[in-house]
Amino acid sequence: MTRFKEIFRHKQEILRNRPDKCRVEVSAESRLVELFRSHVRTRDFEVVIDQPDNMGSTDRGPRPSEILLAALAACHEVTYRLYADAMDIDLKSISVSVTGVSDARGFFDVGEGVAAGFSEVYGEIRIESDASDDDIERLREAVNRHCPVLDDLRKPVKVELELKRERPEK
């Protein structure tokens, strides 16, 4: 086990005793810099997001939808690691692979009523553990209840994006 159990319990204590600490805001800023290539900043990190050559771009980074899948996979791994330790369940390793399926007609406005985003996401979680099947099932259920990105994908999230127009300087 790692020190994640200690961190988990400490965070629970803070959140129980300090309601002002419950709200968490994360943010990202993105700027289109060339063709379809965007530079995204979040905290002190910069991520390049792009489209492939067959979309007429530079293919210097993953697509936005690939970043979404990567977020789901990594969030699942973190949640498994944290909850395994918190629940005293042996977890030697974890890896997640996910695939999203979409219909390109939705993005390119071909065919009425075709959604632009994923119609399904499927994948595989691979763990190495000496824990019992019952413990692994308890862990899986906890992760499915508490993984933030999985939660975001499974329920509607209120999204409001305000358009602010800037006029070019003359």
Side-chain angles (χ1 to χ4, degrees), residues 65-130:
S65 56
E66 292 166 333
I67 293 291
L68 178 67
L69 293 174
L72 174 61
C75 191
H76 235 60
E77 291 167 352
V78 167
T79 307
Y80 263 92
R81 172 78 279 148
L82 181 67
Y83 273 83
D85 284 9
M87 298 168 73
D88 292 321
I89 295 174
D90 170 64
L91 182 63
K92 292 177 180 21
S93 70
I94 174 134
S95 62
V96 176
S97 61
V98 290
T99 300
V101 178
S102 62
D103 187 327
R105 294 176 300 171
F107 183 71
F108 289 103
D109 193 23
V110 176
E112 185 138 345
V114 178
F118 292 131
S119 59
E120 66 177 301
V121 174
Y122 61 90
E124 184 174 89
I125 301 157
R126 290 172 303 283
I127 61 170
E128 182 183 345
S129 174
D130 292 326

Side-chain angles (χ1 to χ4, degrees), residues 101-162:
V101 178
S102 62
D103 187 327
R105 294 176 300 171
F107 183 71
F108 289 103
D109 193 23
V110 176
E112 185 138 345
V114 178
F118 292 131
S119 59
E120 66 177 301
V121 174
Y122 61 90
E124 184 174 89
I125 301 157
R126 290 172 303 283
I127 61 170
E128 182 183 345
S129 174
D130 292 326
S132 71
D133 289 346
D134 287 344
D135 281 347
I136 296 301
E137 180 57 23
R138 282 188 317 111
L139 176 59
R140 186 188 70 79
E141 289 172 2
V143 169
N144 285 344
R145 277 193 314 273
H146 300 289
C147 177
V149 176
L150 180 62
D151 187 55
D152 288 340
L153 290 171
R154 285 185 165 168
K155 68 174 176 29
V157 175
K158 179 180 175 183
V159 177
E160 293 181 18
L161 300 173
E162 180 182 345

Side-chain angles (χ1 to χ4, degrees), residues 30-82:
S30 181
R31 177 172 288 285
L32 192 66
V33 295
E34 178 186 13
L35 304 172
F36 292 128
R37 190 173 79 232
S38 296
H39 289 187
V40 180
R41 293 209 48 85
T42 182
R43 291 190 295 135
D44 294 329
F45 302 99
E46 185 169 296
V47 178
V48 175
I49 300 177
D50 202 354
Q51 293 290 327
D53 294 334
N54 68 1
M55 280 287 294
S57 200
T58 61
D59 201 18
R60 292 190 185 158
R63 298 175 180 139
S65 56
E66 292 166 333
I67 293 291
L68 178 67
L69 293 174
L72 174 61
C75 191
H76 235 60
E77 291 167 352
V78 167
T79 307
Y80 263 92
R81 172 78 279 148
L82 181 67

